[in-house]
Amino acid sequence: MGGTSGSPLQARLEVNVFSVILILAAIIVVLAIVYIISRLITNYLNSPDYLEKKKNRPTSQKDINEIAVRCSLAKEEKDILSNICKNNRTPNIKYIVNDYATMHDLFRSQFITFDKNEDEIGKSHLFQLQKKVFKVFRQQEKIKNSKNIASKTVFTLTVAKGFHHKLTMVDNNSEAIVLELPGSIKNEEFPKPLEKVSVIFELEDGTPYNLETRVVRYQKGKNGENQMVIVHSDKISPLQKREQERAEINVQCEFRSVKVVVENEGKKEKVRYVPSDKAHEGILEDISTGGCRLIAKLPIKADQNIYIAGPLNKKQNDHAVGTIVRTTKRSDGIYILHIRFLRIDMKVVNRIQAMVSKFDD
């Protein structure tokens, strides 16, 4: 018999193998195309142009919602943030929320609007919003060397129990820092040359730091003022920030003892704080929305209630009732009363917070 061609079964097998190869080749090509496209997309999403475009796009409600969740905002606070972004045509809030200066300006602008409308409730919600946002997103600037401390920073020097003096930086050069000594500090309180000294300073956002350094010398300034020169140091450590930010005010005030009167109104009790007729003079050294520090000449013990009246925000005369949580006696016989507020009007709290936040400068 003559030669025979391949069998039908063999032909079908060859066709099936060829089809499988074609399918595998097609899959490889598709996967390659998908990989190339995914790489292009990834590169684009990470490109400066895309990131810049994403940063500059208008803030969406989704962006607001994400911020609200992260900061645990109440509905009123979330609505205020939404209005701030809308009224200011704010770019993507998720990017600028880390910028303290920008957010401060936005909050201040909204405060001015509330202030014109005499909206005390709105102010109160605004300050809560600001507090929550800064707590979550405030990027603490790390100061590693005293050469990086900004000019005109104010330092606090504690020379004895209860004595805190404010020293203003007048120069920060490559060699040392020059601080102007206040008139309140006495010659015998000056740290000696080459003596180690610790001072506290705050950044613009209120973050406190402790600086350990050494006194180089004392000198006279251009106008004859006393100056202390301290050496640069990298011994800088952040301190825990107060729950309620304080402001140095140093204003005269008056204070009175308080009698607590409890009255029954049906099933409820109403507490009244009745100031005495006799007033005493004092000085408010610093203040926050939660309390203050008062300098007095009277040896008033802790756990007593006190009425305070004066320019609590350095402008309007207001009043508040508080309780003395601690009394410190200085070496010169003066007493420092550490006071926690018990009763204070919302508008007074807002005025104090506006001063602390530097909204009324």
Side-chain angles (χ1 to χ4, degrees):
M1 297 180 59
T4 60
S5 61
S7 67
L9 177 60
Q10 183 179 358
R12 285 196 299 269
L13 289 175
E14 292 176 353
V15 171
N16 289 338
V17 171
F18 182 70
S19 299
V20 170
I21 293 174
L22 287 177
I23 293 172
L24 290 175
I27 291 175
I28 293 173
V29 171
V30 170
L31 291 176
I33 294 174
V34 170
Y35 173 77
I36 293 172
I37 293 175
S38 66
R39 289 294 299 173
L40 291 174
I41 292 174
T42 300
N43 291 337
Y44 173 69
L45 293 178
N46 292 324
S47 68
D49 290 341
Y50 176 78
L51 293 177
E52 193 66 24
K53 182 179 179 181
K54 192 174 181 180
K55 289 180 181 180
N56 293 328
R57 69 164 174 77
T59 296
S60 66
Q61 190 58 46
K62 182 180 178 182
D63 300 328
I64 299 293
N65 294 340
E66 290 183 21
I67 299 296
V69 171
R70 288 195 62 181
C71 298
S72 300
L73 301 183
K75 180 181 182 303
E76 296 84 359
E77 298 157 4
K78 178 180 175 182
D79 290 343
I80 291 175
L81 181 60
S82 181
N83 287 333
I84 288 175
C85 294
K86 179 180 178 181
N87 296 335
N88 292 276
R89 297 181 179 179
T90 306
N92 195 337
I93 188 68
K94 293 194 298 182
Y95 286 87
I96 66 173
V97 75
N98 290 301
D99 187 334
Y100 173 82
T102 299
M103 293 304 299
H104 178 273
D105 290 343
L106 289 172
F107 290 141
R108 183 176 184 274
S109 176
Q110 184 62 51
F111 169 81
I112 292 173
T113 299
F114 283 145
D115 196 41
K116 289 180 179 178
N117 296 330
E118 299 182 351
D119 186 351
E120 298 299 331
I121 295 178
K123 291 180 190 177
S124 181
H125 289 312
L126 172 66
F127 288 129
Q128 286 299 313
L129 166 64
Q130 176 183 251
K131 180 180 178 179
K132 291 179 179 180
V133 168
F134 285 161
K135 183 177 181 179
V136 173
F137 290 100
R138 178 175 59 86
Q139 298 221 342
Q140 184 169 305
E141 184 179 350
K142 293 183 179 179
I143 303 293
K144 296 182 179 180
N145 192 286
S146 57
K147 293 181 180 180
N148 300 322
I149 300 176
S151 61
K152 297 185 179 180
T153 296
V154 177
F155 294 77
T156 299
L157 172 67
T158 301
V159 296
K161 184 178 181 180
F163 283 94
H164 307 287
H165 299 287
K166 300 298 178 182
L167 288 63
T168 302
M169 179 196 293
V170 294
D171 187 25
N172 186 355
N173 55 56
S174 60
E175 301 297 329
I177 293 176
V178 181
L179 303 174
E180 181 178 335
L181 296 171
S184 60
I185 188 170
K186 302 175 183 178
N187 290 337
E188 61 269 20
E189 295 176 330
F190 289 179
K192 295 179 177 59
L194 303 183
E195 182 180 342
K196 290 183 178 180
V197 63
S198 293
V199 290
I200 295 174
F201 66 95
E202 291 186 356
L203 301 184
E204 183 183 13
D205 65 357
T207 304
Y209 279 84
N210 181 74
L211 169 65
E212 294 183 19
T213 181
R214 193 182 296 272
V215 177
V216 177
R217 64 180 182 276
Y218 292 94
Q219 62 187 32
K220 291 291 184 179
K222 294 180 180 179
N223 299 319
E225 68 275 13
N226 290 321
Q227 295 179 343
M228 180 172 71
V229 182
I230 58 176
V231 67
H232 281 302
S233 171
D234 58 2
K235 294 182 178 180
I236 300 179
S237 56
L239 302 175
Q240 185 174 0
K241 195 173 182 180
R242 294 178 182 269
E243 181 66 22
Q244 303 290 343
E245 292 185 86
R246 290 179 176 262
E248 305 279 345
I249 54 175
N250 292 301
V251 297
Q252 289 189 337
C253 68
E254 70 170 34
F255 62 93
R256 306 168 188 257
S257 61
V258 170
K259 180 180 179 182
V260 179
V261 178
V262 180
E263 300 174 342
N264 293 318
E265 293 186 353
K267 295 182 179 180
K268 295 183 179 180
E269 289 186 345
K270 181 179 180 180
V271 178
R272 290 197 302 118
Y273 298 98
V274 183
S276 67
D277 294 331
K278 188 174 183 180
H280 306 277
E281 292 185 351
I283 296 177
L284 279 176
E285 193 170 39
D286 64 31
I287 195 167
S288 73
T289 57
C292 63
R293 193 165 62 208
L294 188 153
I295 299 177
K297 296 181 180 180
L298 299 177
I300 304 176
K301 296 181 180 180
D303 300 323
Q304 298 186 64
N305 295 326
I306 187 171
Y307 170 90
I308 305 167
L312 303 187
N313 69 336
K314 296 198 291 188
K315 295 181 180 180
Q316 293 94 336
N317 284 318
D318 289 311
H319 66 270
V321 174
T323 184
I324 303 172
V325 296
R326 187 172 75 258
T327 298
T328 303
K329 184 179 180 181
R330 299 194 323 199
S331 57
D332 61 352
I334 297 297
Y335 294 86
I336 302 176
L337 312 182
H338 304 265
I339 299 166
R340 174 172 54 85
F341 291 140
L342 295 175
R343 182 159 295 177
I344 182 171
D345 290 344
M346 179 185 292
K347 66 179 180 181
V348 181
V349 171
N350 288 337
R351 286 172 183 166
I352 295 172
Q353 185 61 59
M355 175 187 63
V356 172
S357 300
K358 297 181 175 60
F359 283 175
D360 55 358
D361 289 349

